[in-house]
Amino acid sequence: MKTILDFLNAKHEKKKITMISTYDYWSAMLCERAGIDCILVGDSLGMVIQGLDTTLPVTLDEVIYHAKAVRRGAPNTFIVVDMPFMSYQVNRDEAVKNAGRIMKETGANAVKIEGGEEIADIVEKLVSIGIPVMGHLGLTPQSVHALGGYRVQGKTEEEKKRIIKDAKILEQAGVFSIVLEAIPSKLAEEVTELLDIPTIGIGAGNKTDGQVLVLHDMIGIFDKSPKFVKRYMEAGVEIVNSLKKFKEEVEREEFPNSEFTYE
Ligand code: KIV
């Protein structure tokens, strides 16, 4: 199993890091089989699994439930678990208690929290008690209402300066890596060069130290995907075709034939 030191070394050896967001046993098993470096049990499960519009309603118990299944599917893969909205923002004691539950109950290797300067003291505290933390800057979905929607961040000079400042502060506070979401490629490159810790991009160009995609997006489960998603297959179409075939064969009494029947 990889450790945070492997991710730091990967940056210095210029070896790209791969991370996939996924939420259950079978998909984690396939990620491990494919040699993916890191699985994120993202709070994107609110949208992907629960069909919500935002990640805000996702609870600590829900991420713990999913992370346990992911750990069973990928016993040898580094797993990061998202701390849901309001599970770390209230104060450091709450953050410690909730991150502690994630680590104890799921067997995860690290937690991820969104934000910059405003959460630096929480990062410091978690790292000081031995919990590795991944940061998340740029489009931080838990702040969707404050950001005015799911919009590319870091386009104005002011936003750029804030993202660069926050990245340095997070590194100083002890995060072992930072997700950069939906920011211009040039800015992601600048942040990546400034830091000793690896950056993992999503919608942030190809100059970050690694890339993350949501599994269900990259295998084409949903009809539409954002610009930054490459659809490596059209699993949604394949699944619907299989379901239609099953329905037809059952209706025509072709399934199950003798091949699939006990004598
Ligand atoms: O929740 C998630 O899956 C994420 C990634 C998209 C970075 O935060």
Side-chain angles (χ1 to χ4, degrees), residues 19 21 23 40 42-44 82 112 114 136 179 181 202 212 214:
M19 182 161 87
S21 281
Y23 327 97
L40 171 64
D43 60 358
S44 50
D82 252 340
K112 175 163 84 57
E114 297 182 6
H136 186 153
V179 168
E181 178 163 353
I202 177 162
V212 53
V214 170

Side-chain angles (χ1 to χ4, degrees), residues 40-57:
L40 171 64
V41 182
D43 60 358
S44 50
L45 70 87
M47 278 117 135
V48 177
I49 303 293
Q50 302 175 339
L52 300 167
D53 289 337
T54 74
T55 59
L56 272 62

Side-chain angles (χ1 to χ4, degrees), residues 76-198:
N76 301 307
T77 302
F78 192 94
I79 295 174
V80 181
V81 178
D82 252 340
M83 294 194 69
F85 179 58
M86 294 316 283
S87 70
Y88 58 94
Q89 291 92 338
V90 178
N91 59 46
R92 296 205 310 185
D93 290 348
E94 284 270 304
V96 167
K97 199 173 87 206
N98 293 332
R101 272 197 66 198
I102 290 174
M103 301 300 284
K104 270 176 95 81
E105 295 177 33
T106 71
N109 303 90
V111 296
K112 175 163 84 57
I113 58 183
E114 297 182 6
E117 188 168 12
E118 72 284 5
I119 54 139
D121 65 321
I122 291 163
V123 172
E124 263 173 26
K125 181 67 191 171
L126 294 178
V127 172
S128 77
I129 59 166
I131 300 179
V133 180
M134 181 178 270
H136 186 153
L137 292 173
L139 200 181
T140 45
Q142 291 177 12
S143 305
V144 59
H145 300 305
L147 297 175
Y150 295 106
R151 297 166 41 247
V152 176
Q153 299 295 304
K155 283 182 132 180
T156 65
E157 267 319 301
E158 198 188 327
E159 284 175 3
K160 268 185 210 162
K161 279 191 192 138
R162 208 194 57 241
I163 289 170
I164 290 171
K165 185 173 168 217
D166 281 341
K168 286 190 197 156
I169 289 173
L170 286 181
E171 178 173 57
Q172 191 67 34
V175 298
F176 71 94
S177 172
I178 302 179
V179 168
L180 298 175
E181 178 163 353
I183 63 172
S185 174
K186 269 256 154 284
L187 174 59
E189 184 175 1
E190 197 177 332
V191 172
T192 300
E193 278 172 6
L194 275 172
L195 302 181
D196 281 327
I197 53 165

